[in-house]
Amino acid sequence: MGDSYYEYLLKQWIQGGKKDARLKDAWKRAMKEMMDTMVVTTSSGLQFVAELEGPRQRNRMDHLACFVAGMLMLGSRTLPRDEVDPRWEPFAAELTHTCYQMYVRMPTGLSPEYVAFNLQAARGQEMSVPGDAPHNLLRPEAAEALWYMWYYTGDPKYRQWGHEMFVPFLRHCKVKYGFSAITDVRKKPPPKRDSQESFWLGETLKYFYLLFSPRSTLNLEEFVLNTEAQPLRIL
């Protein structure tokens, strides 16, 4: 639940003209500890960021954690080359793929709030949806990851994945006056919650818009996006 802190270590360093090494170094330390202790791979090859409760590892990941992929790509492409961990970009790509799978494996094509992983399960059966997690609140983090991956790599598969993820929002969430969160992504049609969080407009739709727009729409040499996807000019 402290995700924005780690994001802002990097982004404050960038927005401030890359002058405050304390921020950059703190972010690098955090990313090293994450890569060393929290990255888990299932027997079939899916990678995700596990949760730690003291010494105990929980093999689950929130949709919220999908932002890590974009953060790692941003760091990899902005830090001095000799300070970049060669693990960052490959893991960012793998994590983005896992987040995409959180959508396409569900009957509705929409991700639940979080998934649990069975590390030894056969391919296609690694993810399960716990009883308190089947809802979708229109969150932005997976779309955010897709945009950063597409922005920095130009690989068209990220736009294709984005299209596959966006269409179910139109199919299952669009209502007369906006878009509604849904209570269970496993049910077709899914029951609606009659609520729309502000981040749907402020972030999720913005990241999809950027993903399907020309790369020049937002220049990350001139702007940094805060955790609510507002563009701030780099000093």
Side-chain angles (χ1 to χ4, degrees):
M1 295 299 175
D3 53 332
S4 297
Y5 165 71
Y6 301 101
E7 185 180 3
Y8 276 150
L9 288 175
L10 174 65
K11 291 183 173 182
Q12 285 291 135
W13 174 73
I14 294 171
Q15 194 203 5
K18 303 180 181 179
K19 295 177 181 179
D20 192 340
R22 296 173 304 167
L23 298 169
K24 170 175 63 86
D25 292 343
W27 184 78
K28 286 168 55 183
R29 286 195 302 272
M31 294 305 100
K32 183 180 188 308
E33 293 188 7
M34 180 189 74
M35 296 299 302
D36 289 347
T37 64
M38 299 174 70
V39 174
V40 177
T41 305
T42 68
S43 60
S44 61
L46 283 183
Q47 290 192 315
F48 64 98
V49 181
E51 296 182 1
L52 298 180
E53 290 185 349
R56 189 166 74 92
Q57 175 181 298
R58 300 176 68 189
N59 292 318
R60 53 163 277 180
M61 186 177 78
D62 282 30
H63 185 283
L64 287 163
C66 291
F67 91 96
V68 170
M71 179 178 64
L72 287 174
M73 285 300 295
L74 179 64
S76 181
R77 297 302 177 97
T78 53
L79 265 69
R81 296 311 302 169
D82 61 350
E83 298 185 44
V84 171
D85 188 327
R87 299 176 295 177
W88 291 347
E89 288 199 26
F91 177 60
E94 291 297 333
L95 182 61
T96 303
H97 176 254
T98 298
C99 294
Y100 163 68
Q101 292 296 321
M102 288 171 65
Y103 280 76
V104 297
R105 293 189 185 189
M106 299 299 136
T108 56
L110 293 170
S111 170
E113 181 73 357
Y114 74 90
V115 295
F117 291 88
N118 182 337
L119 302 187
Q120 303 304 319
R123 186 179 299 275
Q125 300 177 3
E126 310 96 329
M127 293 181 185
S128 62
V129 182
D132 61 346
H135 51 285
N136 182 291
L137 301 181
L138 313 174
R139 291 196 186 277
E141 292 80 16
E144 176 183 0
L146 288 173
W147 175 65
Y148 277 103
M149 294 302 299
W150 175 76
Y151 181 92
Y152 282 118
T153 71
D155 190 330
K157 74 180 180 184
Y158 296 114
R159 280 180 154 177
Q160 178 60 42
W161 292 358
H163 181 262
E164 292 178 48
M165 290 161 52
F166 186 65
V167 168
F169 283 116
L170 296 176
R171 181 177 297 128
H172 298 300
C173 301
K174 194 173 189 304
V175 291
K176 185 175 181 180
Y177 297 112
F179 285 75
S180 174
I182 60 175
T183 60
D184 196 333
V185 299
R186 302 167 298 183
K187 296 180 179 179
K188 292 181 67 177
K192 294 180 174 59
R193 293 182 63 151
D194 193 26
S195 66
Q196 177 186 287
E197 297 278 359
S198 61
F199 52 67
W200 167 252
L201 296 174
E203 299 180 69
T204 313
L205 286 180
K206 188 180 294 180
Y207 282 121
F208 277 121
Y209 173 80
L210 290 171
L211 178 64
F212 301 131
S213 298
R215 185 176 181 274
S216 59
T217 302
L218 184 69
N219 184 355
L220 290 182
E221 297 294 323
E222 299 178 9
F223 293 92
V224 63
L225 290 172
N226 71 4
T227 198
E228 304 300 334
Q230 305 304 320
L232 306 176
R233 189 172 293 279
I234 296 172
L235 301 179

